[in-house]
Amino acid sequence: MRCSLPWSAVLLVCVAGCGGAPDLGASRTSASAFESGLSGGHARTGAWQRGDAPSGGGPAGRGRYARVEVSFELEGVRGNPFDYTENDVQVSIQRPDGQRMRVPAFFDGGTTWRARWAPDAPGRYTVVNVTLNNTPAEHQKLDRREIEVSGTAGPGFVRIDARTGRFRFEDGSPYFPIGMNTAWGDVPALLAKLGQGGGNWARVWMCHWSGANLDWVMNRRLAVGELDLGVARWWDRVIEAAEKNGIYFQLVLQHHGQYSTRVNPNWSEHPWNRANGGWLATPDEFFSNPRALALTRAKYRYIVARWGASPAVMAWELFNEVQFTDAVANRNLREVQAWHRAMARFLRQHDPYGRLVTSSSDLALTGVFDDMDFLQPHAYASDLVSVITGIDTARLRRPTFFGEVGPDGAGPLEDARYLHQVLWSSVVSTMPGAAQYWAWDRVERAGLFSAFRPAVEFVRRNGLAGRAGARAAATVTTADRGALRFAPAGPWGASRRVQWTVPPGAAPEGLDQMPAFLQGEAHRALFRAAVLRVDYPSDGTFSVRISQVARAGARVVVLVDGAPVAERAWPASGTDRSVSETLTASVVSGRREIRVENRGADWVVVAGFELDPYAPALAVTGRSGNDFAALWLFNRRGAYPGGEGAPVKGARLSVAGLRPGVYRAEWWDTRAGTATASTSATAARDGRIELEVPEVARDIAVAITPAAVTPAAGAAARPSGQRTSPASQRPPQAPPRERSRRDP
């Protein structure tokens, strides 16, 4: 990122330090005005039709066969061949069952057009005719008229299971996304390495600095409405690499920098900027200008026609971190809401395969994510485990997993530790996908691709991909106690809560409702104090770490039972700044109320809290149902950067909420990805089982299933192939690493 504010706090990402606090109030343009002229084109019911009705994809329980392509030539096409409202070319195809379907074709240079589709049944497919704007067109050099489809069907497109709220394929098999971001650079090579390591998910941006944006290429001026075919063919290679390596990726259509003058700003370079010969006076206008909307729809229709037939495209992601655009900062939230609603509707209208649609990332932007199929928060924190396990997914009421996570500046030497913690805390969480690491170049340089397979194997072997559950009622007892650490996980904004109860063995629930920004006088109505109700087993300490301070300055005070015990003030300065300072106070054993408040001029960012000693030396987190539990246990003494501790011995694990009966507990080595021991235990009438925990040096996982049931294999994509990769490309004028997570 090019943000002047260092990313050293957990952010579900917010704008406060990069251009001021967001005002999510009134907008200057109505949504109804925006909606006019949405459809366009010549196909009333969408690009793909069987007879007179649009198709939503193959029948339930059926997958897809290998993607099919036909090519042909059209002479005398006038106007813009990339714009479906001027040249809507479609191919009519007869299916093996005799029904006909229409497939949108796309321009591929010269007089060449192509059409691609994903067959849902074996047999003979026959090209019947080609139409241009619903009129039969004289085509030449059709490469093949009849296509015989055979072989074994793949699982098909990714869907959401309405019963469980988790992901599945068209054929009904479950899908649990595990991978990392591969946003730009040599993406095909990265996907090969990721697949080789066991990953099955990625996220790729259409960004201009790496030659991946169809209508904006560095050092080349495209005509308005023209799409770069060299870029399109690069994306063909990305699709092929994803298909070959079992990767399902989110295609990020827009990113915030394109329409921002504040955060990672690219607006000064944008070809639609009036200063560069374009027609938009401000970046805000992208969301409401009729010409910009029409060109965006035309590009999206081309994208659907060219790559929509590949199940490897898991979802269309409309925007990366839209909260960082000028439109949000300038109070034009209604335009952003209307744009998301309309573009989601447009893609669903034209994508025949019912592909998922999402956007990212600040879930506090009301109305923006109402039409998204699943939610994609982002988080950067010193303690990612508490962020991942602290989010209340039930409250969000839609499938949710972190599309980006990363440490808050610990540096590349800690990536192995963070990546491991991210994977294991999220695969046992209630989320339907793993938390996805951002820093792909550091993963590549450190050779960390092998970290994915153990987590994939744990999910697969224990059938966890499709298994929904609640936060496990699990506790650990140990002879020794250690430090409990956790961090706020909420974005900039007001909080409905001011109090959190800290249980003796885990971070408090509802951390996603605790903003990382502790406000001073400037925004005192938002979140001025956090009150923690604690119960110390013995005398100890309480610490709060501050990582950023607003330019106006701040003053943080810690109070125990109403008495001030620690204080730190920061004077005003010329800019928001990064700090690394900790306030520590002594706490007497027993039940206490600890209040952390900001009595200064403006905000600070709270990077985390520490209570020491407070919790058992071994931590546990996970999810469970009435007949299973998947848990991850880690040694608190060696869990944090720079920390190493003695192994924990003699611990006992208690799990409640199970149906009475006999269960099998299988203990897993989280680095080898293999089961190392198993034991049986009986859940009594109260639904509780007790287990002795093996010695834990760093961490361990356990899967608890009915004794009579052999763990089932889930759906983890199988990798194949291998490539080498040069270093990831970076955006132009990228800031130093410690100042930005956007410099992978």
Side-chain angles (χ1 to χ4, degrees), residues 544 554-559 564-570 581-585 597 599-600:
V544 54
R555 182 164 68 97
V556 173
V557 180
V558 178
L559 303 94
V565 293
E567 180 177 336
R568 175 70 168 90
W570 293 268
E581 299 194 34
T582 301
L583 284 74
T584 301
E597 64 179 46
R599 297 178 179 178

PDB file of all heavy atoms in Angstrom, residues 544 554-559 564-570 581-585 597 599-600:
ATOM      1  N   VAL A 544      -1.164  -2.747  27.628  1.00  0.00           N
ATOM      2  CA  VAL A 544      -1.809  -2.373  26.375  1.00  0.00           C
ATOM      3  C   VAL A 544      -0.742  -1.783  25.465  1.00  0.00           C
ATOM      4  O   VAL A 544       0.038  -0.922  25.886  1.00  0.00           O
ATOM      5  CB  VAL A 544      -2.973  -1.375  26.596  1.00  0.00           C
ATOM      6  CG1 VAL A 544      -2.523  -0.145  27.371  1.00  0.00           C
ATOM      7  CG2 VAL A 544      -3.595  -0.965  25.262  1.00  0.00           C
ATOM      8  N   ALA A 554      -2.562  12.369  21.499  1.00  0.00           N
ATOM      9  CA  ALA A 554      -3.491  11.561  22.290  1.00  0.00           C
ATOM     10  C   ALA A 554      -2.929  11.382  23.690  1.00  0.00           C
ATOM     11  O   ALA A 554      -1.748  11.649  23.957  1.00  0.00           O
ATOM     12  CB  ALA A 554      -3.706  10.209  21.620  1.00  0.00           C
ATOM     13  N   ARG A 555      -3.791  10.901  24.605  1.00  0.00           N
ATOM     14  CA  ARG A 555      -3.361  10.584  25.972  1.00  0.00           C
ATOM     15  C   ARG A 555      -4.146   9.376  26.452  1.00  0.00           C
ATOM     16  O   ARG A 555      -5.365   9.452  26.633  1.00  0.00           O
ATOM     17  CB  ARG A 555      -3.573  11.769  26.905  1.00  0.00           C
ATOM     18  CG  ARG A 555      -3.090  11.513  28.344  1.00  0.00           C
ATOM     19  CD  ARG A 555      -2.964  12.815  29.115  1.00  0.00           C
ATOM     20  NE  ARG A 555      -4.246  13.443  29.370  1.00  0.00           N
ATOM     21  CZ  ARG A 555      -4.935  13.315  30.527  1.00  0.00           C
ATOM     22  NH1 ARG A 555      -4.456  12.560  31.503  1.00  0.00           N
ATOM     23  NH2 ARG A 555      -6.071  13.944  30.681  1.00  0.00           N
ATOM     24  N   VAL A 556      -3.462   8.265  26.648  1.00  0.00           N
ATOM     25  CA  VAL A 556      -4.100   7.017  27.056  1.00  0.00           C
ATOM     26  C   VAL A 556      -3.898   6.818  28.546  1.00  0.00           C
ATOM     27  O   VAL A 556      -2.785   6.988  29.069  1.00  0.00           O
ATOM     28  CB  VAL A 556      -3.524   5.819  26.272  1.00  0.00           C
ATOM     29  CG1 VAL A 556      -4.074   4.499  26.808  1.00  0.00           C
ATOM     30  CG2 VAL A 556      -3.844   5.962  24.792  1.00  0.00           C
ATOM     31  N   VAL A 557      -4.982   6.462  29.224  1.00  0.00           N
ATOM     32  CA  VAL A 557      -4.956   6.225  30.663  1.00  0.00           C
ATOM     33  C   VAL A 557      -5.516   4.830  30.936  1.00  0.00           C
ATOM     34  O   VAL A 557      -6.542   4.441  30.366  1.00  0.00           O
ATOM     35  CB  VAL A 557      -5.787   7.274  31.423  1.00  0.00           C
ATOM     36  CG1 VAL A 557      -5.745   7.007  32.929  1.00  0.00           C
ATOM     37  CG2 VAL A 557      -5.286   8.677  31.114  1.00  0.00           C
ATOM     38  N   VAL A 558      -4.837   4.072  31.797  1.00  0.00           N
ATOM     39  CA  VAL A 558      -5.317   2.768  32.250  1.00  0.00           C
ATOM     40  C   VAL A 558      -5.781   2.913  33.690  1.00  0.00           C
ATOM     41  O   VAL A 558      -5.048   3.433  34.553  1.00  0.00           O
ATOM     42  CB  VAL A 558      -4.207   1.703  32.157  1.00  0.00           C
ATOM     43  CG1 VAL A 558      -4.710   0.362  32.693  1.00  0.00           C
ATOM     44  CG2 VAL A 558      -3.727   1.557  30.718  1.00  0.00           C
ATOM     45  N   LEU A 559      -7.015   2.453  33.954  1.00  0.00           N
ATOM     46  CA  LEU A 559      -7.575   2.509  35.292  1.00  0.00           C
ATOM     47  C   LEU A 559      -7.939   1.094  35.746  1.00  0.00           C
ATOM     48  O   LEU A 559      -8.502   0.317  34.957  1.00  0.00           O
ATOM     49  CB  LEU A 559      -8.825   3.393  35.348  1.00  0.00           C
ATOM     50  CG  LEU A 559      -8.669   4.857  34.889  1.00  0.00           C
ATOM     51  CD1 LEU A 559      -9.055   4.984  33.411  1.00  0.00           C
ATOM     52  CD2 LEU A 559      -9.545   5.778  35.742  1.00  0.00           C
ATOM     53  N   PRO A 564      -6.540   5.471  38.381  1.00  0.00           N
ATOM     54  CA  PRO A 564      -5.515   5.520  37.324  1.00  0.00           C
ATOM     55  C   PRO A 564      -4.221   4.848  37.804  1.00  0.00           C
ATOM     56  O   PRO A 564      -3.737   5.115  38.903  1.00  0.00           O
ATOM     57  CB  PRO A 564      -5.304   7.021  37.105  1.00  0.00           C
ATOM     58  CG  PRO A 564      -6.526   7.672  37.667  1.00  0.00           C
ATOM     59  CD  PRO A 564      -6.954   6.820  38.816  1.00  0.00           C
ATOM     60  N   VAL A 565      -3.688   3.965  36.947  1.00  0.00           N
ATOM     61  CA  VAL A 565      -2.466   3.237  37.311  1.00  0.00           C
ATOM     62  C   VAL A 565      -1.366   3.365  36.259  1.00  0.00           C
ATOM     63  O   VAL A 565      -0.211   3.019  36.527  1.00  0.00           O
ATOM     64  CB  VAL A 565      -2.769   1.739  37.562  1.00  0.00           C
ATOM     65  CG1 VAL A 565      -3.624   1.564  38.808  1.00  0.00           C
ATOM     66  CG2 VAL A 565      -3.442   1.102  36.347  1.00  0.00           C
ATOM     67  N   ALA A 566      -1.701   3.835  35.088  1.00  0.00           N
ATOM     68  CA  ALA A 566      -0.694   4.026  34.036  1.00  0.00           C
ATOM     69  C   ALA A 566      -1.213   5.060  33.056  1.00  0.00           C
ATOM     70  O   ALA A 566      -2.421   5.169  32.821  1.00  0.00           O
ATOM     71  CB  ALA A 566      -0.389   2.716  33.321  1.00  0.00           C
ATOM     72  N   GLU A 567      -0.281   5.846  32.481  1.00  0.00           N
ATOM     73  CA  GLU A 567      -0.684   6.905  31.564  1.00  0.00           C
ATOM     74  C   GLU A 567       0.455   7.198  30.600  1.00  0.00           C
ATOM     75  O   GLU A 567       1.629   7.094  30.953  1.00  0.00           O
ATOM     76  CB  GLU A 567      -1.041   8.161  32.353  1.00  0.00           C
ATOM     77  CG  GLU A 567      -1.486   9.335  31.498  1.00  0.00           C
ATOM     78  CD  GLU A 567      -1.904  10.538  32.342  1.00  0.00           C
ATOM     79  OE1 GLU A 567      -2.281  10.330  33.523  1.00  0.00           O
ATOM     80  OE2 GLU A 567      -1.842  11.667  31.821  1.00  0.00           O
ATOM     81  N   ARG A 568       0.091   7.562  29.376  1.00  0.00           N
ATOM     82  CA  ARG A 568       1.088   7.986  28.383  1.00  0.00           C
ATOM     83  C   ARG A 568       0.453   9.012  27.465  1.00  0.00           C
ATOM     84  O   ARG A 568      -0.655   8.808  26.961  1.00  0.00           O
ATOM     85  CB  ARG A 568       1.579   6.784  27.572  1.00  0.00           C
ATOM     86  CG  ARG A 568       2.531   7.131  26.436  1.00  0.00           C
ATOM     87  CD  ARG A 568       3.891   7.598  26.970  1.00  0.00           C
ATOM     88  NE  ARG A 568       4.889   7.668  25.924  1.00  0.00           N
ATOM     89  CZ  ARG A 568       5.126   8.758  25.175  1.00  0.00           C
ATOM     90  NH1 ARG A 568       4.413   9.861  25.355  1.00  0.00           N
ATOM     91  NH2 ARG A 568       6.079   8.740  24.272  1.00  0.00           N
ATOM     92  N   ALA A 569       1.155  10.137  27.242  1.00  0.00           N
ATOM     93  CA  ALA A 569       0.670  11.195  26.362  1.00  0.00           C
ATOM     94  C   ALA A 569       1.605  11.352  25.173  1.00  0.00           C
ATOM     95  O   ALA A 569       2.828  11.194  25.290  1.00  0.00           O
ATOM     96  CB  ALA A 569       0.560  12.501  27.128  1.00  0.00           C
ATOM     97  N   TRP A 570       1.016  11.673  24.011  1.00  0.00           N
ATOM     98  CA  TRP A 570       1.771  11.955  22.797  1.00  0.00           C
ATOM     99  C   TRP A 570       1.380  13.341  22.304  1.00  0.00           C
ATOM    100  O   TRP A 570       0.192  13.627  22.110  1.00  0.00           O
ATOM    101  CB  TRP A 570       1.448  10.932  21.711  1.00  0.00           C
ATOM    102  CG  TRP A 570       1.912   9.547  22.021  1.00  0.00           C
ATOM    103  CD1 TRP A 570       3.098   8.978  21.689  1.00  0.00           C
ATOM    104  CD2 TRP A 570       1.172   8.536  22.722  1.00  0.00           C
ATOM    105  NE1 TRP A 570       3.168   7.685  22.135  1.00  0.00           N
ATOM    106  CE2 TRP A 570       1.993   7.380  22.784  1.00  0.00           C
ATOM    107  CE3 TRP A 570      -0.089   8.482  23.327  1.00  0.00           C
ATOM    108  CZ2 TRP A 570       1.582   6.204  23.405  1.00  0.00           C
ATOM    109  CZ3 TRP A 570      -0.500   7.317  23.949  1.00  0.00           C
ATOM    110  CH2 TRP A 570       0.334   6.202  23.988  1.00  0.00           C
ATOM    111  N   GLU A 581       4.730   1.416  21.728  1.00  0.00           N
ATOM    112  CA  GLU A 581       4.847   1.720  23.148  1.00  0.00           C
ATOM    113  C   GLU A 581       3.813   0.927  23.933  1.00  0.00           C
ATOM    114  O   GLU A 581       2.677   0.731  23.479  1.00  0.00           O
ATOM    115  CB  GLU A 581       4.669   3.219  23.387  1.00  0.00           C
ATOM    116  CG  GLU A 581       5.736   4.046  22.666  1.00  0.00           C
ATOM    117  CD  GLU A 581       5.767   5.476  23.162  1.00  0.00           C
ATOM    118  OE1 GLU A 581       5.512   5.705  24.358  1.00  0.00           O
ATOM    119  OE2 GLU A 581       6.046   6.361  22.328  1.00  0.00           O
ATOM    120  N   THR A 582       4.224   0.480  25.110  1.00  0.00           N
ATOM    121  CA  THR A 582       3.380  -0.365  25.948  1.00  0.00           C
ATOM    122  C   THR A 582       3.181   0.278  27.310  1.00  0.00           C
ATOM    123  O   THR A 582       4.144   0.716  27.948  1.00  0.00           O
ATOM    124  CB  THR A 582       4.014  -1.751  26.120  1.00  0.00           C
ATOM    125  OG1 THR A 582       4.173  -2.350  24.831  1.00  0.00           O
ATOM    126  CG2 THR A 582       3.137  -2.642  26.980  1.00  0.00           C
ATOM    127  N   LEU A 583       1.933   0.352  27.751  1.00  0.00           N
ATOM    128  CA  LEU A 583       1.591   0.805  29.092  1.00  0.00           C
ATOM    129  C   LEU A 583       1.326  -0.438  29.932  1.00  0.00           C
ATOM    130  O   LEU A 583       0.519  -1.293  29.535  1.00  0.00           O
ATOM    131  CB  LEU A 583       0.347   1.689  29.091  1.00  0.00           C
ATOM    132  CG  LEU A 583       0.490   3.136  28.590  1.00  0.00           C
ATOM    133  CD1 LEU A 583       0.628   3.160  27.070  1.00  0.00           C
ATOM    134  CD2 LEU A 583      -0.723   3.957  29.017  1.00  0.00           C
ATOM    135  N   THR A 584       1.993  -0.546  31.079  1.00  0.00           N
ATOM    136  CA  THR A 584       1.855  -1.721  31.930  1.00  0.00           C
ATOM    137  C   THR A 584       1.474  -1.295  33.342  1.00  0.00           C
ATOM    138  O   THR A 584       2.008  -0.318  33.873  1.00  0.00           O
ATOM    139  CB  THR A 584       3.160  -2.533  31.961  1.00  0.00           C
ATOM    140  OG1 THR A 584       3.483  -2.942  30.633  1.00  0.00           O
ATOM    141  CG2 THR A 584       3.016  -3.765  32.838  1.00  0.00           C
ATOM    142  N   ALA A 585       0.556  -2.060  33.927  1.00  0.00           N
ATOM    143  CA  ALA A 585       0.104  -1.770  35.285  1.00  0.00           C
ATOM    144  C   ALA A 585       0.032  -3.062  36.088  1.00  0.00           C
ATOM    145  O   ALA A 585      -0.267  -4.128  35.537  1.00  0.00           O
ATOM    146  CB  ALA A 585      -1.262  -1.100  35.267  1.00  0.00           C
ATOM    147  N   GLU A 597      -8.798   4.171  28.397  1.00  0.00           N
ATOM    148  CA  GLU A 597      -9.497   5.262  27.727  1.00  0.00           C
ATOM    149  C   GLU A 597      -8.510   6.273  27.178  1.00  0.00           C
ATOM    150  O   GLU A 597      -7.342   6.341  27.585  1.00  0.00           O
ATOM    151  CB  GLU A 597     -10.476   5.943  28.667  1.00  0.00           C
ATOM    152  CG  GLU A 597      -9.854   6.645  29.854  1.00  0.00           C
ATOM    153  CD  GLU A 597     -10.916   7.314  30.722  1.00  0.00           C
ATOM    154  OE1 GLU A 597     -11.944   6.664  31.013  1.00  0.00           O
ATOM    155  OE2 GLU A 597     -10.701   8.490  31.104  1.00  0.00           O
ATOM    156  N   ARG A 599      -7.924  10.188  26.724  1.00  0.00           N
ATOM    157  CA  ARG A 599      -8.321  11.517  27.181  1.00  0.00           C
ATOM    158  C   ARG A 599      -7.641  12.624  26.391  1.00  0.00           C
ATOM    159  O   ARG A 599      -7.662  13.792  26.787  1.00  0.00           O
ATOM    160  CB  ARG A 599      -7.999  11.675  28.666  1.00  0.00           C
ATOM    161  CG  ARG A 599      -8.757  10.702  29.570  1.00  0.00           C
ATOM    162  CD  ARG A 599      -8.367  10.868  31.033  1.00  0.00           C
ATOM    163  NE  ARG A 599      -9.117   9.962  31.900  1.00  0.00           N
ATOM    164  CZ  ARG A 599      -8.950   9.857  33.215  1.00  0.00           C
ATOM    165  NH1 ARG A 599      -8.034  10.627  33.827  1.00  0.00           N
ATOM    166  NH2 ARG A 599      -9.664   9.014  33.929  1.00  0.00           N
ATOM    167  N   GLY A 600      -7.048  12.250  25.266  1.00  0.00           N
ATOM    168  CA  GLY A 600      -6.327  13.221  24.464  1.00  0.00           C
ATOM    169  C   GLY A 600      -7.150  13.791  23.334  1.00  0.00           C
ATOM    170  O   GLY A 600      -8.374  13.663  23.283  1.00  0.00           O
TER     171      GLY A 600
END
